Amino acid sequence: MGFTIEKQMVFLGLVVLFPLLCTSQNTFTSSRATYYGSPDCYGTPSGACGFGEYGRTVNYGNVAGVSRLYRNGTGCGACYQVRCTNPQYCSDDGANIVVTDYGEGDRTDFILSPRAYAKLAKANLALELFAYGVVDVEYRRISCKYSDYNLMFKVHEHSRYPHYLAIVILYVAGQNDITAVELWQEDYKEWRPMRRAYGAVFDLANPPPDSITLRFQVSGSAGYTWVQSNNAIPSYWKAGAVYDSTIQLT
């Protein structure tokens, strides 16, 4: 069932309060990283993934824009451990980040929020690392684990009832990618594909007039599989509403 306006506000608050917990599996790849300006050191709500406020505050604002790892939007929401390689200034663990944007730099794979970039440094050496601007790093993809959250989807603010529906996918756990979204067309008794508009946003013109059931194609360690949401979007949906799919990805 949908969230009320009050619950939506609580939901956005919880995004800030709950950290992202990660476990790693892959080997490291060499690259470079830099950072972007931000008045509060968080991410940006206007990122290319379409996450809005979620993309600004998720994981305490430890987020990044990526270039080739963006993968035409499929990489949105993926988690990585990034650590710089200068032994004088760099910490051993580096930063665990969430991809929320697209960005290109000087041969960089990561353009980090200031919060994430500061975590690359040893204690009390962040200013010295910021002075470099661009640093050599190594990274690996890690599993995202969100405390108390299933896979969720939000009716994007650009949606216009009843003629245009767009949704944005949130809280993709594990080392999984959402590669496709379909909705059930009851009058034709078939699944109807939604278009990846950009980033993590999928859309469809002239959606069915009744309640809308979604299923998601998930790409992970087990290959490709379809999982269906147990919560339907009600027939009189509104932009900004957030729904829990009840799907728990691992």
Side-chain angles (χ1 to χ4, degrees):
M1 59 189 298
F3 285 6
T4 63
I5 294 177
E6 290 79 10
K7 289 184 177 179
Q8 290 176 44
M9 295 303 295
V10 172
F11 166 79
L12 291 175
L14 289 174
V15 168
V16 179
L17 294 175
F18 282 95
L20 172 71
L21 303 178
C22 300
T23 56
S24 61
Q25 295 181 359
N26 295 337
T27 57
F28 284 95
T29 300
S30 297
S31 185
R32 282 154 56 90
T34 185
Y35 64 94
Y36 57 85
S38 170
D40 58 6
C41 297
Y42 282 94
T44 171
S46 59
C49 289
F51 287 141
E53 184 68 11
Y54 170 93
R56 193 180 77 85
T57 56
V58 67
N59 195 30
Y60 291 127
N62 294 307
V63 297
V66 294
S67 51
R68 60 178 176 168
L69 298 174
Y70 184 75
R71 294 180 286 132
N72 293 320
T74 302
C76 288
C79 298
Y80 293 90
Q81 181 186 5
V82 183
R83 61 189 188 189
C84 59
T85 56
N86 184 321
Q88 181 177 359
Y89 298 112
C90 299
S91 66
D92 292 335
D93 295 330
N96 292 346
I97 62 94
V98 183
V99 174
T100 59
D101 201 355
Y102 176 86
E104 295 182 357
D106 180 14
R107 294 178 288 117
T108 57
D109 277 313
F110 296 91
I111 302 180
L112 301 167
S113 69
R115 284 176 177 259
Y117 194 85
K119 285 183 175 294
L120 299 181
K122 291 180 178 179
N124 302 317
L125 293 178
L127 291 179
E128 286 81 352
L129 201 63
F130 274 104
Y132 273 82
V134 179
V135 292
D136 292 324
V137 298
E138 55 185 12
Y139 71 89
R140 61 180 172 180
R141 185 161 182 185
I142 56 178
S143 295
C144 305
K145 291 188 177 180
Y146 297 98
S147 177
D148 299 326
Y149 286 106
N150 297 316
L151 178 73
M152 303 185 77
F153 52 94
K154 175 183 177 182
V155 179
H156 197 276
E157 286 82 357
H158 291 166
S159 298
R160 294 293 180 267
Y161 178 84
H163 304 294
Y164 173 73
L165 173 66
I167 63 167
V168 57
I169 310 301
L170 310 174
Y171 295 115
V172 181
Q175 293 193 40
N176 297 299
D177 298 323
I178 302 300
T179 53
V181 180
E182 295 182 343
L183 57 78
W184 179 249
Q185 186 84 39
E186 178 63 28
D187 49 353
Y188 289 99
K189 302 297 182 183
E190 66 181 14
W191 290 99
R192 184 177 174 186
M194 299 186 75
R195 176 185 70 121
R196 184 186 292 275
Y198 63 95
V201 179
F202 292 81
D203 68 357
L204 183 72
N206 301 314
D210 302 318
S211 61
I212 297 171
T213 298
L214 300 175
R215 70 174 184 176
F216 308 90
Q217 186 181 61
V218 180
S219 173
S221 59
Y224 289 88
T225 185
W226 286 96
V227 290
Q228 182 174 330
S229 172
N230 289 325
N231 273 348
I233 299 174
S235 54
Y236 295 102
W237 45 265
K238 294 182 179 180
V242 182
Y243 300 92
D244 186 337
S245 72
T246 72
I247 297 167
Q248 182 64 63
L249 298 177
T250 57

